[in-house]
Amino acid sequence: MLQAEVDQYIARHGSSTFNYKQVCHAIGHESPASQRTVALYLAELAFDGVIIETAPGLYKAPTRTVKAQGVFVRRSNGKNSVITDNDGEEIFIAERNSMHALNGDRVEITIAARVKGREAEAEVTDIIEKKEQTFIGTLKVDKYFAYLLTDSKFLATDIFIPRAKLHGGKTGDKAIVRITHWPEDAKNPQGEVVDILGVAGENTTEQHAILAEFGLPYRYPEAVEKAADAIGAGITDEVVAAREDLRDVTTFTIDPRDAKDFDDALSIRKLPGGNYEVGVHIADVTHYVKPGSIIDREAEKRATSVYLVDRVVPMLPEHLSNGICSLRPDEDKLTFSAIFEMTPEAKVVKSRICRTVTRSNRRFTYEEAQDVIETGKGDFADEILTLDKLAKQLRKARYDNGSVDFDRVEVRFDTDENGHPTSVFFKESKDANKLIEEFMLLANRTVAAAIGVVPKRKKPKAFVYRVHDSPDAERLENLAELARAFGFKIKTKGTPADINRSINKMLVDVKGRGEENFLSTLAIRSMAKAIYTTTNIGHYGLGFEYYTHFTSPIRRYPDMMVHRLLERYLAGGRSVNLEKLEEECKHSSDMEQLAANAERASIKYKQVEYMGDHLGEVYKGIISGVTEWGLYVELDDNKCEGLVPMRDLADDYYDFDAKNYCLIGRKYNNRYRLGDPVQVQVARADLQKKQLDFVIVDEKHPARSLDALAAPKPGARPRTVEKPGKKKRKGRR
């Protein structure tokens, strides 16, 4: 009777939220016993998905009609769904009820009557808007037909291709295919070849396939290249006269050894009173790339350069990025500069932002500059040593004010003439890297404050900020709890500076210990992602109230946006349209994330390719991830990461403890926790899926090996395990 009254209340309550007390008051049952019953019943309804818990103890009825609209999510495992517009709920769609909608399509659905204890289910009744998309895979061409074996995680079937739509594709070619038709009664869609990337397995082909997978361009439009080639340096007397001429000031660049696009340079000179004038000079890209031009439109669309393992896919054509705009030595260049007067203690006395003409005296690699710092000898040694001293003082002040010190090792590969990885090395951030980083941070911070800080009763102008939100509270609490188990204390309350200082102390104290990777990884995961936006909330990780990106306009479109806004506002111009600027910021953030995903996929591909030459070999590593489908292990020697599938933990049945990041054996209570050292053997290397599989062979359990995996668990059916040289197993948990 009581539950029926609650059901009636929910049915007539509409879309407003409610808690158990409100329900009890409305239906006239307010005794403690009734309140307990109603509270438990509401929790049960929420667990079954009948109602939605919007906050702890606060509920609402799903705002559904029989029909709804949303975005279709297709998965290769068959677990398709629709995320509804009304309440963002994910509703299961069986393949037979999908109308062959593709991932990202906008659809209309009819929702089936809810069955208690079962997840909601619906049927697609109309595809309202099809998302333009393509699929990448390997062609198989037979006598009368052809098809694409897709690499996609969003499509479980191959794509049938009429021979007339192959556009020259042959068996073994990697191709991009667009679905043109999917007959209602057909298992496979039909499509046509959009582009042939090359022979599957070849290095350039696979790198281009990674770019195409994320919707990123892999070649430059000819018309854009042609427009760029027509641009000259144009450093005339008239142009120079309108700028501050700093060509006589000692200036140099410090960049990676393989860099060609030098978009920043430093200058330094001693002033009569004993202070230093330090200039951060940035390539004046927007002098050459005009708003709305064909080059600008292409740069805006790309939003960023993409850095794969063995190549750069530039945002700007090479004539600009590596030529006219690049601050190459012994060439006059147009620059946009942030210039600081600093005391010997690195206190900024005053600063100015202006357009300049500069001339680099020397191009240093990071290794060359580091050698000068370590030996005190070499070209411009006094200038580099002074800048290094100032940078270290700036860095100390930044950390004292709560900036987080995440110093992660980056993996790089040496490759042969075919792009095949032959060895792995690590890119570490040394003093020379940190010198450049510190002055770029100072310039970015100064530019943001120059526009963001406004007098009282003045309205701030629309601007591009690089912001970083505070950590997720639950993740921070979890990090603090796990750190405590290792004897480290992390604050979860207090000012951001207090919290970050405690994280920094933990990161310093944990260095060299077994749990270093575990705790530093969790610390990074607790942080939000930095984005571009017009709404300034500050940069939590750096501890800056105002921050932007000004220093890399050759490779980041937001920096070009900042340069244009600076020019406009420094000349007294009015604020630009806020909504349009925010749209551009969001696009840049989205493209940055896609580029980062492609970069990670490129590294993963090379890791799998490299480890494919080492099947059967044994390595020491650290558990870098724990999931319900197995353990991820990062190898000590080369930082390659692979999976130990749950199915290959053959000595016991393991349960996943999500809160403590570990797997626990039911019978023997063996535990595998994030950060634990293990010994593994390389079992499988699947280049197509970019998957690397290991098996545990550590000293505690010497029976584990590729041979041991062939032995079934008690009561399990026998199975085989791929040994080096054997055919790869199909399927994956």
Side-chain angles (χ1 to χ4, degrees), residues 136-271:
I136 300 156
T138 305
L139 290 174
K140 178 77 166 64
V141 182
D142 291 335
K143 186 174 181 181
Y144 299 108
F145 62 90
Y147 50 91
L148 184 82
L149 304 172
T150 63
D151 299 343
S152 174
K153 63 183 178 182
F154 297 119
L155 193 65
T157 62
D158 302 329
I159 301 173
F160 173 77
I161 305 169
R163 287 183 63 92
K165 300 291 186 180
L166 278 171
H167 294 176
K170 304 180 294 296
T171 293
D173 281 349
K174 202 93 168 182
I176 303 174
V177 168
R178 176 174 53 243
I179 291 178
T180 56
H181 181 51
W182 196 338
E184 188 175 339
D185 57 349
K187 180 182 177 182
N188 296 76
Q190 296 179 14
E192 64 176 345
V193 172
V194 174
D195 197 10
I196 302 295
L197 297 173
V199 177
E202 290 185 354
N203 184 56
T204 294
T205 299
E206 297 299 337
Q207 296 303 307
H208 284 180
I210 288 170
L211 292 166
E213 175 189 350
F214 293 100
L216 297 168
Y218 47 89
R219 61 171 66 100
Y220 231 95
E222 189 176 335
V224 180
E225 294 272 18
K226 193 173 180 180
D229 290 342
I231 296 174
I235 305 179
T236 63
D237 291 343
E238 184 181 5
V239 169
V240 171
R243 295 168 175 258
E244 189 170 338
D245 190 345
L246 298 175
R247 287 176 291 183
D248 292 334
V249 182
T250 299
T251 304
F252 44 79
T253 60
I254 304 177
D255 288 281
R257 61 189 175 195
D258 56 351
K260 296 177 182 176
D261 53 345
F262 313 137
D263 52 9
D264 59 80
L266 292 178
S267 70
I268 183 169
R269 59 181 170 187
K270 195 163 187 177
L271 300 175

Side-chain angles (χ1 to χ4, degrees), residues 343-414:
T343 69
E345 294 74 38
K347 301 294 182 186
V348 177
V349 176
K350 58 184 177 181
S351 63
R352 66 186 187 277
I353 302 165
C354 53
R355 277 196 146 110
T356 53
V357 184
T358 54
R359 185 180 181 89
S360 173
N361 302 104
R362 170 78 146 83
R363 183 261 163 130
F364 286 93
T365 65
Y366 280 120
E367 291 80 7
E368 290 171 336
Q370 185 64 31
D371 186 61
V372 172
I373 291 171
E374 291 176 2
T375 66
K377 299 176 182 177
D379 293 345
F380 303 108
D382 289 344
E383 288 84 352
I384 289 178
L385 291 172
T386 300
L387 287 169
D388 178 57
K389 180 183 174 184
L390 293 170
K392 285 172 176 170
Q393 293 175 102
L394 288 171
R395 188 158 61 252
K396 181 181 182 306
R398 182 162 58 85
Y399 290 154
D400 288 345
N401 288 327
S403 187
V404 183
D405 181 17
F406 288 125
D407 192 8
R408 301 285 287 173
V409 171
E410 295 182 37
V411 178
R412 293 289 184 267
F413 296 88
D414 288 317

Side-chain angles (χ1 to χ4, degrees), residues 111 201 318 369 391-392 409 646 687:
I111 302 167
E318 188 173 322
K392 285 172 176 170
V409 171
M646 188 76 84
L687 265 178

Side-chain angles (χ1 to χ4, degrees), residues 413-670:
F413 296 88
D414 288 317
T415 59
D416 63 19
E417 64 276 7
N418 297 316
H420 187 81
T422 55
S423 63
V424 180
F425 65 94
F426 306 135
K427 178 185 172 186
E428 295 185 63
S429 184
K430 296 187 176 181
D431 285 343
N433 306 76
K434 293 174 181 177
L435 183 161
I436 294 297
E437 177 189 33
E438 216 55 54
F439 283 105
M440 297 307 114
L441 290 175
L442 178 62
N444 287 332
R445 182 184 190 182
T446 301
V447 165
I451 305 302
V453 178
V454 295
K456 288 183 179 179
R457 294 184 293 278
K458 286 279 189 179
K459 190 177 179 181
K461 293 179 178 178
F463 198 59
V464 176
Y465 295 99
R466 179 71 168 178
V467 305
H468 183 231
D469 208 347
S470 55
D472 178 83
E474 186 177 342
R475 288 185 178 183
L476 190 60
E477 287 282 359
N478 194 26
L479 171 64
E481 183 179 336
L482 291 169
R484 201 177 301 120
F486 291 100
F488 302 107
K489 185 177 180 181
I490 291 177
K491 292 185 177 181
T492 57
K493 291 183 171 53
T495 67
D498 289 339
I499 293 171
N500 288 357
R501 276 193 288 265
S502 71
I503 293 175
N504 281 343
K505 186 175 188 310
M506 183 271 289
L507 292 172
V508 170
D509 292 345
V510 79
K511 279 196 179 296
R513 296 178 54 163
E515 60 271 19
E516 177 183 357
N517 192 72
F518 168 49
L519 290 177
S520 61
T521 299
L522 282 184
I524 290 172
R525 289 178 184 174
S526 72
M527 295 288 169
K529 282 187 171 64
I531 62 169
Y532 300 104
T533 180
T534 57
T535 304
N536 182 41
I537 59 170
H539 197 293
Y540 182 93
L542 292 172
F544 293 164
E545 188 176 354
Y546 297 92
Y547 190 65
T548 191
H549 273 170
F550 160 77
T551 53
S552 295
I554 288 177
R555 61 185 180 91
R556 293 188 304 225
Y557 195 77
D559 301 55
M560 288 177 60
M561 292 159 61
V562 166
H563 281 216
R564 286 173 179 155
L565 291 171
L566 268 177
E567 179 182 26
R568 179 187 183 99
Y569 296 156
L570 291 176
R574 299 179 66 179
S575 182
V576 299
N577 181 276
L578 186 68
E579 289 73 21
K580 186 175 185 301
L581 191 62
E582 182 62 33
E583 287 177 14
E584 292 175 324
C585 286
K586 185 180 185 309
H587 172 70
S588 293
S589 296
D590 292 343
M591 293 304 293
E592 177 188 43
Q593 188 59 54
L594 282 178
N597 292 341
E599 289 162 22
R600 281 193 291 269
S602 175
I603 292 169
K604 185 66 179 178
Y605 183 90
K606 288 300 173 189
Q607 288 179 330
V608 175
E609 188 177 14
Y610 175 75
M611 295 308 297
D613 295 337
H614 300 274
L615 289 174
E617 295 183 18
V618 175
Y619 294 86
K620 290 182 178 179
I622 293 288
I623 295 175
S624 55
V626 183
T627 70
E628 60 192 29
W629 55 85
L631 303 168
Y632 286 95
V633 175
E634 183 183 87
L635 304 183
D636 295 342
D637 288 352
N638 52 41
K639 302 300 179 187
C640 292
E641 186 181 61
L643 176 71
V644 178
M646 188 76 84
R647 65 172 183 263
D648 288 349
L649 291 172
D651 65 321
D652 204 343
Y653 292 91
Y654 285 84
D655 294 314
F656 174 48
D657 182 348
K659 183 178 180 182
N660 294 299
Y661 298 91
C662 67
L663 296 180
I664 305 172
R666 293 182 188 177
K667 186 175 181 181
Y668 301 112
N669 202 37
N670 292 329

Side-chain angles (χ1 to χ4, degrees), residues 18-20 42 53-59:
F18 53 84
N19 59 32
Y20 75 92
L42 292 177
E53 187 171 17
T54 60
L58 195 63
Y59 306 94

